[in-house]
Amino acid sequence: MKKLFNSDIKLISSLKKRKYRENLSLFIVEGVKPVRELYLSGIKPEKIVVDISKKLEISYLEGYDEIYSTEKFNKISTLENSEGILSVYKTPSFKDKVSKDSKKILLLHDISDPGNMGTLIRTAVWFGVESIILSGNCTDPFSPKSVRSCMGQIFCINFIKIDNCKEYIKSLDDFKIVSTYISEKSTYLKKDEEKTIVMIGSESNGLPEIYKDLKRENFLIEKIGKTESLNASIAAGIIMYEIFGK
């Protein structure tokens, strides 16, 4: 146990912004449950900070830095009502291609909401997706809100960041490509054990037209009620269940 220095507070606080997370290759995991689960999984952080005024159950920790007041902890916290514990982790490096043993891939195009990103990651891990391809304009999967939403699953999946997603997935010619255009009928037919890429578009615009000339099948969630649209992460969960989960 040791006291946290002001320089540490400044560094951790800077990780709330994407440019500093990317420059320093560090990100924050905050909250009692995600910090505990990641630590006990054997993935060790660069630093753990505890607000000792909260009197948390932290006997599982071998070492940590102390802050003596909630007011000071709030300077580094990413939450409006902090739980008094956070950890700092080294950011896993983005890959430039999927691994050879990948069978289930999720392509996310311009997902802008961090909460949706985290939920998509968590759901993808549940359905055994090995890799997520991110278009250049996706929100940062290592933002505090995304990490909270994925409930500690951030280390369970490979991230591939590609500028030209269309050309890259076209090169993966042993994969079936499944699009999710709401303007097209469903043509998807499941075949067991087939290597598959599922494409999910942005919350506001869906998939862009650029992917339409790919050799692909389309999956459409049939609308039954009156609501105009589904949240991107909810729609993706239904799609992954139908394609990856049965």
Side-chain angles (χ1 to χ4, degrees):
M1 296 177 291
K2 58 183 180 178
K3 186 177 178 181
L4 197 70
F5 292 110
N6 286 334
S7 58
D8 295 319
I9 292 174
K10 185 177 180 180
L11 183 147
I12 296 170
S13 183
S14 75
L15 300 178
K16 297 174 187 179
K17 295 184 177 180
R18 183 171 188 168
K19 67 176 181 178
Y20 294 113
R21 291 194 299 272
E22 291 179 345
N23 289 342
L24 297 169
S25 295
L26 296 170
F27 71 99
I28 293 170
V29 176
E30 184 169 4
V32 172
K33 186 175 180 180
V35 168
R36 179 185 175 88
E37 286 184 353
L38 273 179
Y39 188 87
L40 294 179
S41 74
I43 305 172
K44 299 303 182 187
E46 300 294 304
K47 188 178 290 291
I48 293 180
V49 184
V50 178
D51 175 3
I52 61 170
S53 70
K54 296 276 191 182
K55 302 187 184 304
L56 300 172
E57 167 47 50
I58 52 174
S59 59
Y60 64 91
L61 293 177
E62 295 177 3
Y64 54 89
D65 292 292
E66 297 178 336
I67 283 182
Y68 293 90
S69 74
T70 299
E71 182 182 356
K72 272 198 170 183
F73 190 89
N74 285 342
K75 291 181 179 180
I76 60 172
S77 176
T78 63
L79 299 173
E80 188 173 338
N81 297 302
S82 76
E83 295 181 357
I85 187 167
L86 64 74
S87 49
V88 176
Y89 277 90
K90 196 77 175 171
T91 307
S93 59
F94 285 97
K95 311 295 183 186
D96 58 3
K97 59 184 178 181
V98 300
S99 61
K100 291 181 179 179
D101 57 349
S102 289
K103 291 184 178 180
K104 300 176 182 180
I105 298 175
L106 192 65
L107 184 148
L108 302 179
H109 186 94
D110 290 2
I111 298 297
S112 60
D113 182 81
N116 279 341
M117 176 63 77
T119 305
L120 284 161
I121 294 167
R122 184 181 179 188
T123 307
V125 172
W126 175 268
F127 286 113
V129 172
E130 299 98 350
S131 299
I132 293 179
I133 299 173
L134 302 170
S135 71
N137 293 322
C138 275
T139 189
D140 180 15
F142 297 99
S143 70
K145 188 174 181 181
S146 174
V147 172
R148 284 197 305 276
S149 296
C150 76
M151 295 297 289
Q153 303 300 308
I154 197 75
F155 289 102
C156 298
I157 207 156
N158 293 315
F159 293 99
I160 297 94
K161 200 167 185 180
I162 303 290
D163 290 330
N164 192 332
C165 288
K166 177 184 174 181
E167 291 304 314
Y168 178 66
I169 63 171
K170 190 188 290 187
S171 71
L172 301 174
D173 52 14
D174 55 339
F175 278 82
K176 173 192 281 191
I177 299 173
V178 182
S179 60
T180 51
Y181 288 107
I182 60 173
S183 59
E184 297 181 2
K185 294 180 179 179
S186 277
T187 58
Y188 171 73
L189 295 172
K190 183 171 176 101
K191 295 179 182 177
D192 291 338
E193 301 301 320
E194 192 163 19
K195 297 169 75 172
T196 306
I197 300 170
V198 173
M199 304 165 63
I200 303 294
S202 70
E203 297 90 342
S204 55
N205 299 314
L207 284 173
E209 298 286 312
I210 58 170
Y211 298 112
K212 283 200 168 183
D213 63 350
L214 290 172
K215 182 181 178 182
R216 60 187 170 81
E217 296 178 17
N218 196 63
F219 185 94
L220 180 67
I221 300 172
E222 183 181 353
K223 179 179 175 180
I224 298 172
K226 295 181 179 180
T227 188
E228 185 177 322
S229 62
L230 287 173
N231 171 278
S233 57
I234 292 174
I238 295 169
I239 292 162
M240 282 188 272
Y241 172 73
E242 291 292 336
I243 295 175
F244 295 142
K246 287 187 174 181

